[in-house]
């Protein structure tokens, strides 16, 4: 006798559904049916979580604004030059640069063996990279790689004094 594929589910919200569980291995259907019975039905779950997406979006917007304010204040405090790029890339690049450099300082100077003088040189080199996209591209890099990444930055990542270039 084959294990049934259609299971009657009485959800916690009071709704009943007959679920086709044929896409699950036969030995896992009963357990999954029990789990489903401890959940709201799909319609009730969607209705109760509908506002969550709006709440998440509002939270994310507030978080980004907070990060942006902190990053801009940090950039001003450490005399970082403005970044170049699209309207959307520049704020993101500023946040990335802030995160990359503060993480690198912590890893290399505070927790590592890099001296303040060596860090000042790294920081000065970082000031020469003003393309927002470069900082965005490096956002997942390891702090130990920063010096090499800054050396690898091309002329396209650094400003030129010639306005006709």
């Amino acid at each position: 006798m084959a294990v049934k594929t259609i299971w009657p589910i009485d959800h916690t919200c009071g709704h009943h559904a007959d679920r086709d569980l044929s896409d699950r291995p036969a030995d896992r259907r009963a357990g999954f049916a029990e789990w489903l019975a401890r959940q709201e039905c799909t319609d009730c779950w969607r209705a109760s979580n509908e506002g969550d997406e709006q709440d998440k979006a509002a939270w994310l917007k507030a978080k980004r604004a907070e990060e942006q304010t902190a990053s801009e204040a940090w950039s001003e405090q450490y005399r970082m030059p403005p970044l170049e790029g699209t309207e959307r890339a520049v704020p993101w690049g500023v946040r990335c640069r802030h995160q990359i450099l503060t993480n690198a300082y912590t890893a290399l100077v505070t927790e590592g063996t890099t001296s303040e003088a060596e860090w000042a040189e790294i920081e000065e080199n970082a000031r020469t990279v003003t393309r927002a996209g470069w900082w965005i591209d490096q956002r997942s890099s390891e702090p130990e790689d920063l010096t090499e990444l800054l050396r690898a930055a091309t002329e396209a990542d650094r400003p030129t004094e010639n306005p006709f270039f």
Side-chain angles (χ1 to χ4, degrees):
M1 183 167 137
V3 176
K4 64 182 177 180
T5 58
I6 307 295
W7 291 74
I9 310 292
D10 291 316
H11 293 281
T12 57
C13 59
H15 291 112
H16 175 82
D18 290 329
R19 289 284 303 263
D20 180 2
L21 302 181
S22 62
D23 60 335
R24 302 214 172 256
D27 62 338
R28 295 195 177 164
R29 292 178 192 155
F32 187 66
E34 287 177 21
W35 179 82
L36 284 172
R38 293 190 306 267
Q39 311 303 314
E40 294 178 323
C41 71
T42 303
D43 292 337
C44 291
W45 181 85
R46 280 190 184 129
S48 68
N49 289 308
E50 197 170 85
D52 284 354
E53 289 303 316
Q54 293 171 346
D55 292 343
K56 284 180 192 174
W59 175 85
L60 185 59
K61 185 176 181 179
K63 180 82 171 147
R64 288 287 180 251
E66 181 183 313
E67 288 174 355
Q68 194 65 39
T69 301
S71 295
E72 288 171 359
W74 176 89
S75 293
E76 191 173 311
Q77 178 183 355
Y78 290 97
R79 301 177 337 273
M80 292 292 161
L83 296 181
E84 301 164 352
T86 65
E87 185 178 322
R88 190 169 170 203
V90 169
W92 188 14
V94 169
R95 287 194 314 270
C96 290
R97 177 176 63 184
H98 174 223
Q99 291 167 348
I100 290 167
L101 291 175
T102 55
N103 289 343
Y105 183 84
T106 301
L108 300 175
V109 179
T110 307
E111 299 169 354
T113 59
T114 304
S115 70
E116 287 289 340
E118 292 168 321
W119 175 256
E121 189 177 316
I122 294 170
E123 193 175 80
E124 197 55 43
N125 199 5
R127 282 187 183 91
T128 67
V129 179
T130 59
R131 188 175 67 83
W134 188 90
W135 292 102
I136 294 167
D137 291 344
Q138 309 316 316
R139 70 186 180 277
S140 299
S141 63
E142 295 296 322
E144 296 79 18
D145 296 337
L146 181 60
T147 304
E148 184 178 345
L149 292 170
L150 287 168
R151 272 195 299 257
T154 66
E155 292 301 316
D157 302 317
R158 301 175 194 278
T160 178
E161 293 182 25
N162 182 354
F164 301 106
F165 182 67

